[in-house]
Amino acid sequence: MLAVAAAITPRFLRSHLRDMSPMMGETTPAMSVELETQLQTAFAQILAVAVPVSFVVALGAAFFATRRLLTPIEAVRTNVRRLARGMYSARVGRPVEDELAALADDINQLAATLEHTERRRMRLLNDVSHELRTPLTTIEGYMEAILDDVIEPTPEIIATLLRESRRLKRLANDINVLSRAEEGTLDLDLREIDVESMLAGVLARLAPQFDDARVAVTIEEGPSASVVGDFDRLVQVFTNIIGNAISYTPSGESVTVSWETADDSVVVDVRDTGRGIDERDLGRIFERFNRVGPSNTAGTGVGLTIARSIARLHGGDVNASSEGVGRGSVFTVTLPISGPGRPITEASPQPS
Ligand code: ADP
């Protein structure tokens, strides 16, 4: 400001004095020079006061503006640090500035997601530790009894121990898949899958199981259809559901697998004539470790939870219906159909 004023003031003053000369009458050059010098001195004095005053005022204004901006940023930082320490219930107040308010909203959204995931993880850990206790207690009980010579390690006892340890191993695998599927972090290797050949493959795999159980499993031919999905994961879904149908159907009864296409979906029905499910339990059986009635001893109690999570990750779903206890059940798997309008990348996760 000083440099600009020093550069242009003399020119302005001279031109101003020239304009004023008719009003001032006759002036000698010496008077003009004196006048100009006086005016310049007065102007310099004004600047000498104005510049420090405006400097102080600007400093004060900058200080207040910075404080106004820094206070909410500091609040945001404090809450981010709380989040980093695992205090996921912390929330940031909304500052008035639009950009900072948007930042606070994003951080609050992040905190809510972390809080939700953490709660889910804690519940899962609780459920898992509860589930682990039963087989471990059985194994421990038998081992102690054998060591104390209370029982002989007969082949039957060893078979029980083996069954329980296998159940633990299955549980460990299932929990791993379950937690990733529930959080939507299960990697899907997507490709085009023919529904008929996938179902035929699942039935071939389960053949020893339905032969052992003496349950007749038939597959009804449906329209040619394909879905976009992860082959191994979808096989896991159907193995679980058809495997359950075999387990919960008495020998001599039957299980039928059929499919049809509806709108943009392939709908696969797994129908059994087994023990059925009470209407009140239809929703509960999809919750992890929620078994109703006497359960399959080999089951881990998370088969349906995993099946539904995987189907939902594919943009589909699994639902159950039953006409009541003793009257069989139908498990319906819906998956988005693939076609020219549906590129492979379109199969996207659905919120659970
Ligand atoms: P599990 O390992 O106990 O079979 P799932 O998650 O696969 O666990 O199934 C949950 C519960 O749903 C089972 O314990 C059983 O009570 C019930 N269920 C599943 N499929 C059937 C079926 N086809 N008929 C009757 N009940 C079933």
Side-chain angles (χ1 to χ4, degrees):
M1 190 175 144
L2 282 173
V4 172
I8 62 175
T9 308
R11 208 153 54 82
F12 271 97
L13 284 181
R14 250 170 256 134
S15 122
H16 207 60
L17 286 175
R18 255 197 320 276
D19 294 346
M20 285 175 67
S21 61
M23 277 185 288
M24 293 193 298
E26 200 61 29
T27 48
T28 63
M31 274 174 73
S32 293
V33 170
E34 178 60 19
L35 201 57
E36 191 184 320
T37 313
Q38 288 296 334
L39 280 172
Q40 274 198 34
T41 311
F43 189 68
Q45 281 166 349
I46 291 167
L47 280 180
V49 177
V51 167
V53 169
S54 52
F55 183 71
V56 170
V57 171
L59 214 62
F63 177 74
F64 282 110
T66 314
R67 251 177 66 121
R68 226 179 104 98
L69 205 68
L70 285 185
T71 309
I73 288 179
E74 195 45 49
V76 169
R77 283 192 62 203
T78 307
N79 279 289
V80 171
R81 279 198 295 265
R82 278 196 200 135
L83 283 178
R85 285 202 301 271
M87 296 160 71
Y88 301 128
S89 56
R91 294 290 182 274
V92 183
R94 247 177 145 258
V96 281
E97 293 78 8
D98 286 348
E99 290 78 6
L100 286 178
L103 177 66
D105 287 347
D106 288 347
I107 288 171
N108 285 340
Q109 175 70 45
L110 171 73
T113 310
L114 288 173
E115 192 180 11
H116 184 66
T117 308
E118 184 59 16
R119 258 203 226 128
R120 200 147 59 173
R121 205 163 274 179
M122 287 314 292
R123 270 205 312 269
L124 179 66
L125 281 177
N126 260 338
D127 291 350
V128 168
S129 68
H130 181 259
E131 281 300 312
L132 288 177
R133 227 166 281 144
T134 317
L136 285 175
T137 309
T138 310
I139 294 172
E140 192 184 19
Y142 276 117
M143 293 295 201
E144 277 176 0
I146 291 170
L147 277 180
D148 295 346
D149 284 331
V150 177
I151 55 168
E152 286 286 309
T154 59
E156 290 77 32
I157 302 277
I158 293 173
T160 307
L161 292 174
L162 187 65
R163 199 173 53 238
E164 291 301 317
S165 47
R166 282 194 179 140
R167 210 162 96 81
L168 283 174
K169 191 174 165 192
R170 263 197 310 279
L171 194 61
N173 286 337
D174 282 357
I175 287 160
N176 183 17
V177 176
L178 176 71
S179 84
R180 283 189 293 147
E182 281 194 344
E183 279 169 24
T185 53
L186 197 66
D187 285 334
L188 296 180
D189 178 13
L190 299 178
R191 58 189 141 121
E192 189 120 3
I193 300 165
D194 178 60
V195 174
E196 182 173 6
S197 53
M198 175 181 59
L199 291 174
V202 172
L203 289 196
R205 206 170 133 170
L206 288 172
Q209 199 175 322
F210 54 74
D211 282 349
D212 274 358
R214 279 186 284 119
V215 171
V217 182
T218 47
I219 184 159
E220 281 178 7
E221 206 167 308
S224 145
S226 53
V227 294
V228 170
D230 184 313
F231 185 80
D232 292 339
R233 297 291 173 209
L234 290 181
V235 164
Q236 188 179 3
V237 170
F238 289 104
T239 305
N240 250 316
I241 291 171
I242 301 171
N244 272 349
I246 297 167
S247 302
Y248 297 115
T249 300
S251 57
E253 303 269 326
S254 62
V255 173
T256 312
V257 181
S258 61
W259 76 94
E260 58 183 10
T261 50
D263 300 326
D264 283 343
S265 306
V266 178
V267 183
V268 183
D269 279 342
V270 178
R271 193 178 297 272
D272 66 65
T273 56
R275 72 173 199 202
I277 303 163
D278 192 289
E279 200 186 333
R280 282 167 305 175
D281 296 324
L282 283 173
R284 280 183 42 209
I285 56 172
F286 290 97
E287 291 166 16
R288 61 172 172 250
F289 306 124
N290 234 330
R291 304 174 177 101
V292 294
S295 281
N296 166 19
T297 48
T300 55
V302 289
L304 288 179
T305 321
I306 292 177
R308 183 176 256 183
S309 299
I310 293 176
R312 286 184 172 175
L313 283 176
H314 282 80
D317 208 350
V318 179
N319 286 294
S321 64
S322 171
E323 288 187 5
V325 177
R327 305 179 66 181
S329 338
V330 185
F331 282 81
T332 305
V333 183
T334 315
L335 292 169
I337 207 162
S338 71
R342 273 176 178 271
I344 282 183
T345 49
E346 211 179 87
S348 56
Q350 222 187 39
S352 56

